[in-house]
């Protein structure tokens, strides 16, 4: 395993998968740092329980592990929200996976072209991928 080489701050993911009248919802903002001495994934949340219930952290962690694909990192969740009806483990797993991939792109471990595949993720310096360009031009 390798570690995240540089910090990637302010990765924001807002999953809104509307199927019919409802669907998975999740919202997080995370700062990624190189791993600590023990390596692995360290996940901390600075978000009050009322804004982001702890019950979603295991699904978020699973998504981060998937998105980081074996790259070690320390992750601090600095903001987040949930919806009483539409939030579920699936939404936070998707959010974690997208945040992890965004961190790898932001750290230069994945090519910038992969940003177009991240439907719900934003971060400072996000490159415009093909999907982003299509949306900006009014396409789908």
């Amino acid at each position: 395993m390798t570690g995240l080489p540089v910090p990637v701050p302010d990765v924001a993911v807002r999953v809104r998968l509307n199927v019919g009248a409802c669907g998975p919802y999740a919202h997080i903002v995370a700062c990624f740092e190189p791993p600590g001495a023990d390596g692995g994934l360290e996940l901390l949340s600075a978000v009050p329980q009322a804004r982001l219930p702890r019950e979603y952290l295991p699904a978020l962690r699973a998504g981060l592990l998937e998105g980081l694909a074996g790259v070690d990192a320390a992750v601090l969740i600095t903001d987040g929200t949930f919806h009483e009806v539409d939030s579920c483990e699936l939404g936070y797993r998707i959010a974690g996976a997208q945040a992890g991939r965004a961190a790898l792109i932001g750290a230069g471990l994945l090519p910038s072209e992969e940003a177009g595949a991240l439907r719900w993720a934003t971060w400072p310096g996000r490159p415009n991928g093909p999907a982003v360009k299509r949306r900006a031009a009014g396409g789908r």
Side-chain angles (χ1 to χ4, degrees):
M1 282 191 189
T2 183
L4 195 69
V6 296
V8 181
D10 301 324
V11 174
V13 180
R14 188 178 309 261
V15 176
R16 287 184 265 188
L17 185 58
N18 196 356
V19 181
C22 61
Y25 172 88
H27 168 232
I28 62 161
V29 178
C31 292
F32 289 78
E33 296 281 337
D38 293 337
L41 173 64
E42 182 179 2
L43 175 61
L44 298 171
S45 177
V47 183
Q49 169 90 2
R51 286 185 54 85
L52 181 61
R54 302 292 177 253
E55 69 188 77
Y56 296 121
L57 293 181
L60 179 59
R61 179 182 185 79
L64 285 165
L65 287 168
E66 178 185 330
L68 288 168
V71 175
D72 295 344
V75 183
L76 175 63
I77 306 302
T78 59
D79 196 8
T81 57
F82 79 106
H83 186 275
E84 287 185 24
V85 175
D86 293 337
S87 286
C88 63
E89 290 181 1
L90 174 61
Y92 285 93
R93 186 175 183 123
I94 292 169
Q98 291 234 337
R101 300 304 282 176
L104 295 181
I105 295 166
L109 297 176
L110 286 177
S112 61
E113 293 80 27
E114 299 238 352
L118 299 178
R119 180 176 178 181
W120 295 292
T122 62
W123 62 96
R126 178 188 170 140
N128 287 332
V132 174
K133 287 180 186 173
R134 279 197 307 271
R135 272 188 243 131
R140 288 183 166 232

